[in-house]
Amino acid sequence: MAEFDLKDLEAINSKQEIIDFLVEHDIIKEKKFREQLAYEKELQQLQENLLALQSNIIDQNKRVLIIFEGRDASGKGGTISRATEYLNPKKYRVVSLPKPNELQQGQWYFQRYFEELPNAGEIVFFDRSWYNRAVVEPVFDFCTKEQYDKFLKQVVDVENLLQDDGIILIKIFLSISKKEQAERLQDRKDDELKNWKLGSLDQKAQELWDKYTDYITTMYAKTGTENSPWIEIVTDDKKTARLEALKIIINALSTKKHETEMVNIYPS
């Protein structure tokens, strides 16, 4: 093991400098630890870039809406938490709406979501969104065929109007293999600290896998447009997926236009 003294330690001022020191002095040799350190370093760099972009959004009064959809246990919450970890908490919100109450059930479907749209200088993350009506609701017969068809007919126009008004819209879908989903759901069931993540609908995810697939495929085809594409990330490798999600957000916020086609980052 490499030698170091008190002067070396006194020169270390940050978590990243500790990581760099351990690697540079060959103190940590195991591949697993080195991979983790490389992940942490890249993650921090991306988080710093995102923070810088947030400052620009605040200064220019931009409005950003980032929609996260995905299969159960695909890592939406964990990915969002990494994206927001160092952002100015006064200028971002994470919105995860519960099922509509009786009053909301009588409103236009999009109405309760519109109340959560970003204000000037703000980023809003939707942890699930109005796309519940494109997948979850029809899978479990929570909406009628007429309501489902009406949603598909309206949503593209709605998103075009939001973008015409200046809102920057990013739509990310987190995918996962059936095998990996089964393992994560079982882990949630076995771990008392993760039990709260296992909802009643999650437990049906494997049984209804093919039905989910059919509705997801239709959602891509009907609602992924040139102005508002779906960007899919397969999340079997959580760390890689989180990094890619941050890169996608940073790229979208750094350019005036999104990519014109849906991109599958990790095709299965």
Side-chain angles (χ1 to χ4, degrees):
M1 178 181 294
E3 294 184 1
F4 57 95
D5 55 27
L6 183 58
K7 289 184 179 179
D8 292 320
L9 295 178
E10 289 175 343
I12 295 175
N13 297 309
S14 69
K15 173 183 174 182
Q16 188 56 54
E17 287 181 354
I18 294 174
I19 293 173
D20 292 340
F21 182 89
L22 294 176
V23 173
E24 179 183 347
H25 289 75
D26 205 29
I27 296 169
I28 292 181
K29 300 181 180 181
E30 290 83 355
K31 180 180 179 182
K32 182 177 179 180
F33 287 127
R34 284 183 174 271
E35 289 176 349
Q36 179 65 24
L37 293 177
Y39 163 73
E40 294 286 349
K41 185 172 184 178
E42 185 172 6
L43 176 63
Q44 181 172 329
Q45 182 60 60
L46 292 171
Q47 290 171 327
E48 290 174 359
N49 291 346
L50 189 55
L51 177 60
L53 286 168
Q54 186 196 30
S55 296
N56 178 263
I57 289 165
I58 294 170
D59 292 343
Q60 297 187 22
N61 286 322
K62 295 180 180 178
R63 293 169 291 159
V64 178
L65 176 60
I66 305 174
I67 290 177
F68 273 90
E69 290 290 340
R71 288 187 185 265
D72 297 314
S74 60
K76 294 180 292 296
T79 303
I80 292 172
S81 68
R82 268 60 175 193
T84 60
E85 187 171 3
Y86 295 111
L87 296 183
N88 179 346
K90 296 180 180 179
K91 287 296 183 177
Y92 84 82
R93 286 182 289 123
V94 178
V95 176
S96 181
L97 296 183
K99 65 181 182 181
N101 58 36
E102 185 176 355
L103 175 64
Q104 292 167 335
Q105 288 176 17
Q107 297 174 344
W108 181 41
Y109 177 72
F110 291 94
Q111 187 168 333
R112 70 190 188 118
Y113 292 101
F114 277 18
E115 295 173 358
E116 304 293 344
L117 291 176
N119 299 307
E122 188 177 42
I123 303 174
V124 171
F125 297 82
F126 274 5
D127 184 351
R128 293 202 183 278
S129 66
W130 44 68
Y131 282 101
N132 277 332
R133 180 142 291 180
V135 180
V136 175
E137 289 189 17
V139 164
F140 289 95
D141 296 322
F142 291 160
C143 67
T144 66
K145 178 67 164 54
E146 180 184 5
Q147 290 172 324
Y148 169 73
D149 290 340
K150 183 181 290 187
F151 171 81
L152 291 180
K153 183 179 179 180
Q154 293 180 345
V155 67
V156 172
D157 290 337
V158 166
E159 291 178 354
N160 283 338
L161 287 171
L162 294 178
Q163 291 175 298
D164 286 346
D165 198 57
I167 290 179
I168 298 171
L169 177 62
I170 304 168
K171 300 191 305 192
I172 297 174
F173 189 92
L174 301 185
S175 189
I176 187 173
S177 69
K178 188 174 183 179
K179 179 177 179 293
E180 180 66 20
Q181 185 191 64
E183 292 175 357
R184 291 186 191 177
L185 292 175
Q186 187 62 46
D187 181 54
R188 291 180 179 184
K189 186 176 181 180
D190 295 340
D191 189 339
E192 292 183 359
L193 297 178
K194 297 180 181 179
N195 283 169
W196 63 271
K197 293 184 176 182
L198 191 62
S200 58
L201 302 186
D202 296 338
Q203 299 180 53
K204 298 268 190 178
Q206 288 278 292
E207 177 186 342
L208 298 173
W209 178 271
D210 292 338
K211 194 173 182 180
Y212 267 105
T213 299
D214 290 342
Y215 280 107
I216 291 168
T217 301
T218 299
M219 181 186 73
Y220 282 161
K222 299 289 187 181
T223 69
T225 67
E226 181 175 346
N227 290 328
S228 183
W230 279 105
I231 305 172
E232 179 185 18
I233 306 174
V234 177
T235 66
D236 285 22
D237 183 332
K238 285 185 178 181
K239 293 185 177 66
T240 300
R242 289 167 181 167
L243 296 177
E244 288 304 322
L246 265 65
K247 290 175 185 177
I248 287 165
I249 294 170
I250 289 167
N251 180 65
L253 296 179
S254 301
T255 57
K256 293 182 180 180
K257 295 182 179 180
H258 301 302
E259 295 295 325
T260 58
E261 296 181 357
M262 185 181 73
V263 178
N264 190 331
I265 302 299
Y266 295 110
S268 55

